[in-house]
Amino acid sequence: MQKIAIIGCGMMGKTHSKAYQNMKDLDICVKYVSDLDHKKAEVCAQMLNAEIQTLENILKDPEITIIDLCTQTFTHAELTEKAASMGKNIFCEKPIALSITDAQRMIDVCKKNNVKLSVGHVVRFFPEYMKAKEILETPDMGSGAVARFYRGGNFPSHGTDNWFDDIKKSGGVFVDLSIHDFDYLRTVFGEPESIIARSVKLSETKECKNNDHGLAVIKFKNGVLAHVEGSWAEPDNMPVGFHTKFEVNTKNGMIHFDATESMTFNLQLKRQQNNYVAARPSEYNPYEQELRVFIDAVQNGSEVKVSGEEALKSLRVALAANISAKEKRPVLIEEVK
Amino acid sequence: MIKIGILGIAHTHGYSYVRQINKMQDAQVTGLYEENVEFAKRASSELNLKLFNTPQELLDSCDAVIIASENSKHMKYTEMAALKHKHVLCEKPIAVNISDAEHMIKVCKENNVVLQIAFPVRYAPSVRKAKETIDSGVLGDILAVSSTNHGTMPGSWFVEKELSGGGAVIDHTVHVVDIVRWLLNTEITNVSGFYDKLIYDELKVEDCGLLMLELSNGAFMTLDTSWSRPKAHPYWGDVTIRIVGTQGTLFIDAFDEKIEYYCNDKKNGWMNFDIKFDYNLIREFIDCIKTGRKPLTSGEDGLAALEVVLKAYAAKA
């Protein structure tokens, strides 16, 4: 039996709690939840009937085999080091860290302590992205040519102390948001060679409080070109909040997806608040799937699906975008040390 | 009655321009001169056009010309027309190099004739509405633009560099650059990006391009110029522009009004039902001829857009 502790009960901690609620068929137990904000911890504790504990006490409990790290990005490296040295397997939310050094430290400490490390690049588990990869891998489509990926919505103002707004804590829109697309693109087209990017925060184009927006063009080693747009620039409370969109052109065709065109449930109500719903209800939960795969790897000693090394490679692309945006020049991915 | 001659129709946009003029009371097409016998035959039979044997004969028949020839011939034809004091509506891009474009502007100015560049999407109601919206200030300061001008690979002379000046980059950079310069009242100060031949092995020019542009107002912009629409796609391509401001965002998809049709006996497709960009473009030309004013899309606009293209070719990362 795997006994799990969730560290960090913000947005992702809650999302993971919901995912664990669906795992009644597994021989697992979320024993603890932990958050510096007691109110946030209480929400997850209630959802899972778990005990609220401090990180120190959790790590001391030998029953705990898995630490599900849902804290702010800048804390990942230090907490992973602590947990791994206590022999805990670690599922870490994305992005793995804010620097290559930190990410490498996390990989090394987990290896040294013989524990598993996996990172929550959940887009790999999203059904539309899985289907897209499957289509692109059919011989009919031919090899890739030029792709466009959009991911955006309003600013994530739910973060404690508005930490997403602090580039030293979140890495900005490329490192926190577009990293999903960088990671996914790597699974489809292999490693990128160079990137040209600009972002509102890093290019310092205009005074722009509390939002970020980034555009990047990438050349992959196999010649494929890709455009990645990541945005926190949409106004709050819009009918279309967060959404994703992609298009991939190949030698013999193209695929197109736009989340706003895939709404299966549309509701309009005669009232002032929350009067409009457009959604795609689903029984499939990608967060649950990524956690199931990790739990299975811990249980059976098999390989994790998204390793620390994989997450580091995707981080490298995002950091290259940041450098390009700051220095306003094309950046080779391998420049990023 | 404004008499308009068609000087070259290698570019199929010329067909649409003739059809627009045929709808008008105050203009008529006098005929066509086209060097390429095959293009000439096809156009004259499809559009019921009188064929002239020389450019000069065509010029003698009209007050103004529409030049829809291959790009590299724009300069030659514009010069011929201007020297005969005929107004010019020239297909985009204005030319294939800066000196040709500058000469076209100069010769039209010296001979006091209109030089309009065919940037029809600038005449799209959605784009005009965007101009009003941005000018009103509701979007705040403009921070970033991401845009596309996708198309199907056109083949023919479009892929012969001596005639076209290049591939997807020269073909599809100019429209959106022209629109954005106007919308944001800005110039493009820096160009970088990637382009390559990635889809059609047989080509000698690029079929894909992704550009990163910096604008004089401090914003940045990407532009996808790719001929990446597969032949199986129900529509030829797109012009989309996403604009992010400090106070809001705006997304333009200029050709998105459509009826989808599914027919057992032919290819499925999307059909537009209210797009009159070319009609508006020709109305502008006729109005400028009548009033002597400068067109909304001038030779200078054509030159500015071409400069971005040439910078993109020079800046391949």
Side-chain angles (χ1 to χ4, degrees):
Chain A
M1 185 184 204
Q2 303 302 326
K3 293 207 170 170
I4 301 166
I6 300 174
I7 314 299
C9 297
M11 175 84 102
M12 291 320 299
K14 245 194 292 184
T15 303
H16 284 199
S17 297
K18 213 172 160 192
Y20 290 120
Q21 286 180 321
N22 293 340
M23 296 188 206
K24 301 207 163 56
D25 56 317
L26 292 189
D27 189 20
I28 61 162
C29 156
V30 179
K31 189 171 176 187
Y32 303 115
V33 299
S34 180
D35 197 292
L36 298 176
D37 182 336
H38 194 77
K39 275 199 183 125
K40 287 187 176 176
E42 264 178 352
V43 175
C44 293
Q46 266 189 9
M47 286 171 81
L48 297 164
N49 198 20
E51 188 184 327
I52 300 175
Q53 253 314 343
T54 62
L55 177 70
E56 283 64 33
N57 288 340
I58 290 170
L59 293 182
K60 276 184 218 151
D61 184 343
E63 280 193 342
I64 292 295
T65 52
I66 292 174
I67 294 292
D68 183 357
L69 199 52
C70 296
T71 56
Q72 301 170 351
T73 309
F74 66 95
T75 66
H76 288 177
E78 193 195 328
L79 297 182
T80 297
E81 240 170 5
K82 277 188 187 168
S85 57
M86 296 296 281
K88 314 297 186 194
N89 298 288
I90 293 152
F91 186 90
C92 176
E93 250 317 310
K94 49 56 55 182
I96 181 169
L98 294 172
S99 71
I100 299 297
T101 320
D102 276 357
Q104 192 60 54
R105 230 171 85 201
M106 291 165 70
I107 294 166
D108 293 344
V109 74
C110 288
K111 208 164 269 174
K112 198 181 132 202
N113 289 283
N114 202 24
V115 295
K116 294 201 180 295
L117 169 64
S118 183
V119 180
H121 281 295
V122 70
V123 168
R124 296 193 191 193
F125 295 85
F126 272 59
E128 61 272 40
Y129 288 81
M130 287 163 75
K131 182 57 79 179
K133 188 164 183 287
E134 184 188 315
I135 297 169
L136 290 169
E137 281 166 356
T138 60
D140 297 354
M141 294 297 285
S143 56
V146 59
R148 303 184 65 77
F149 281 72
Y150 171 86
R151 177 174 305 274
N154 46 36
F155 186 82
S157 49
H158 56 80
T160 304
D161 300 329
N162 201 19
W163 69 279
F164 288 100
D165 192 38
D166 186 345
I167 205 140
K168 290 193 191 82
K169 291 181 174 174
S170 73
V173 77
F174 288 132
V175 172
D176 192 74
L177 186 67
S178 295
I179 198 164
H180 281 300
D181 295 308
F182 297 143
D183 181 72
Y184 178 75
L185 281 162
R186 285 184 50 255
T187 69
V188 180
F189 298 125
E191 297 308 319
E193 182 178 283
S194 59
I195 191 163
I196 304 173
R198 297 291 183 275
S199 92
V200 167
K201 247 189 218 322
L202 284 156
S203 309
E204 286 169 1
T205 50
K206 290 266 166 66
E207 179 73 24
C208 186
K209 207 169 162 262
N210 207 21
N211 85 39
D212 201 359
H213 177 81
L215 302 175
V217 296
I218 307 171
K219 184 183 171 118
F220 284 80
K221 285 182 176 163
N222 66 359
V224 169
L225 302 181
H227 182 275
V228 173
E229 177 165 6
S231 185
W232 284 333
E234 296 298 335
D236 292 333
N237 309 318
M238 290 293 114
V240 179
F242 179 83
H243 85 284
T244 62
K245 188 172 163 173
F246 58 76
E247 191 171 294
V248 181
N249 293 274
T250 66
K251 273 205 163 146
N252 205 33
M254 70 178 268
I255 58 168
H256 163 91
F257 168 80
D258 183 337
T260 62
E261 294 164 359
S262 295
M263 295 304 173
T264 56
F265 177 87
N266 299 276
L267 173 71
Q268 302 193 95
L269 293 173
K270 255 187 195 176
R271 62 179 197 203
Q272 293 302 308
Q273 303 258 306
N274 304 324
N275 54 0
Y276 175 86
V277 177
R280 184 179 58 80
S282 170
E283 285 124 31
Y284 175 91
N285 180 339
Y287 298 94
E288 177 191 335
Q289 292 309 315
E290 64 172 357
L291 289 166
R292 277 177 180 270
V293 169
F294 181 67
I295 292 165
D296 188 60
V298 171
Q299 189 100 2
N300 300 313
S302 52
E303 288 295 309
V304 298
K305 179 144 180 192
V306 188
S307 66
E309 285 86 350
E310 276 289 294
L312 180 144
K313 284 179 185 166
S314 298
L315 174 66
R316 201 187 289 279
V317 184
L319 293 175
N322 273 359
I323 295 172
S324 176
K326 198 167 182 186
E327 299 179 6
K328 297 193 177 180
R329 63 175 179 93
V331 169
L332 291 170
I333 307 304
E334 61 195 29
E335 277 182 48
V336 185
K337 300 291 179 206
Chain B
M1 178 70 73
I2 309 278
K3 292 181 175 172
I4 301 175
I6 308 300
L7 194 44
I9 198 157
H11 202 302
T12 50
H13 287 175
Y15 287 66
S16 170
Y17 303 150
V18 170
R19 292 194 177 104
Q20 307 311 319
I21 297 166
N22 289 343
K23 294 177 196 161
M24 294 173 189
Q25 307 283 323
D26 56 350
Q28 71 177 61
V29 177
T30 61
L32 165 70
Y33 172 77
E34 168 58 58
E35 278 177 34
N36 181 310
V37 181
E38 207 181 301
F39 292 163
K41 257 193 209 159
R42 197 181 70 187
S44 75
S45 75
E46 248 183 66
L47 297 165
N48 196 22
L49 287 179
K50 179 180 172 184
L51 279 176
F52 287 87
N53 293 319
T54 65
Q56 295 306 329
E57 284 172 54
L58 175 79
L59 289 170
D60 288 338
S61 76
C62 60
D63 313 306
V65 292
I66 293 179
I67 299 172
S69 67
E70 298 89 340
N71 302 340
S72 64
K73 297 176 186 168
H74 289 175
M75 195 279 276
K76 170 176 87 177
Y77 285 147
T78 300
E79 186 181 43
M80 280 181 197
L83 290 175
K84 283 224 161 189
H85 305 286
K86 311 297 179 187
H87 303 283
V88 174
L89 170 58
C90 180
E91 185 52 51
K92 62 90 221 172
I94 183 171
V96 294
N97 60 57
I98 300 295
S99 64
D100 279 9
E102 283 175 344
H103 182 69
M104 289 164 70
I105 293 167
K106 186 166 159 263
V107 74
C108 288
K109 197 175 247 174
E110 281 171 0
N111 289 282
N112 205 22
V113 294
V114 172
L115 173 59
Q116 185 183 348
I117 306 300
F119 288 130
V121 195
R122 231 214 266 181
Y123 301 88
S126 59
V127 172
R128 289 182 177 229
K129 182 87 181 159
K131 176 72 175 159
E132 285 169 29
T133 304
I134 290 163
D135 285 351
S136 79
V138 292
L139 287 176
D141 283 340
I142 304 304
L143 302 168
V145 178
S146 59
S147 58
T148 64
N149 184 189
H150 292 125
T152 2
M153 199 278 287
S156 181
W157 62 269
F158 288 91
V159 301
E160 291 176 43
K161 202 176 171 203
E162 317 75 58
L163 293 171
S164 61
V169 172
I170 191 165
D171 194 33
H172 276 182
T173 296
V174 291
H175 282 295
V176 181
V177 164
D178 176 69
I179 294 166
V180 171
R181 284 181 61 248
W182 180 61
L183 280 183
L184 305 188
N185 195 21
T186 190
E187 291 299 335
I188 284 77
T189 54
N190 192 285
V191 183
S192 56
F194 304 109
Y195 61 90
D196 213 340
K197 181 183 75 177
L198 294 169
I199 302 174
Y200 299 94
D201 292 334
E202 66 277 16
L203 297 189
K204 291 197 180 79
V205 292
E206 77 284 354
D207 51 29
C208 290
L210 285 176
L211 309 183
M212 176 70 76
L213 315 178
E214 280 172 38
L215 312 181
S216 56
N217 66 356
F220 52 86
M221 162 177 171
T222 56
L223 172 54
D224 187 337
T225 73
S226 306
W227 287 335
S228 52
R229 277 286 180 276
K231 291 188 172 58
H233 196 280
Y235 198 68
W236 60 266
D238 67 19
V239 170
T240 71
I241 305 173
R242 182 192 303 279
I243 298 172
V244 171
T246 50
Q247 300 299 317
T249 62
L250 170 65
F251 182 64
I252 300 162
D253 192 345
F255 291 91
D256 200 38
E257 52 113 295
K258 59 186 184 270
I259 288 177
E260 300 173 17
Y261 64 87
Y262 305 90
C263 173
N264 287 332
D265 300 324
K266 58 178 182 179
K267 210 179 138 224
N268 300 329
W270 295 349
M271 199 88 87
N272 297 128
F273 51 86
D274 187 33
I275 283 182
K276 300 189 183 86
F277 309 168
D278 286 352
Y279 182 86
N280 296 344
L281 174 88
I282 306 286
R283 283 315 310 168
E284 173 77 1
F285 186 47
I286 289 167
D287 195 56
C288 289
I289 293 169
K290 285 181 175 172
T291 61
R293 72 175 171 84
K294 197 170 178 163
L296 181 64
T297 49
S298 67
E300 285 82 356
D301 293 321
L303 172 62
L306 178 65
E307 279 170 345
V308 175
V309 171
L310 299 176
K311 281 182 187 168
Y313 280 129
K316 185 179 184 178

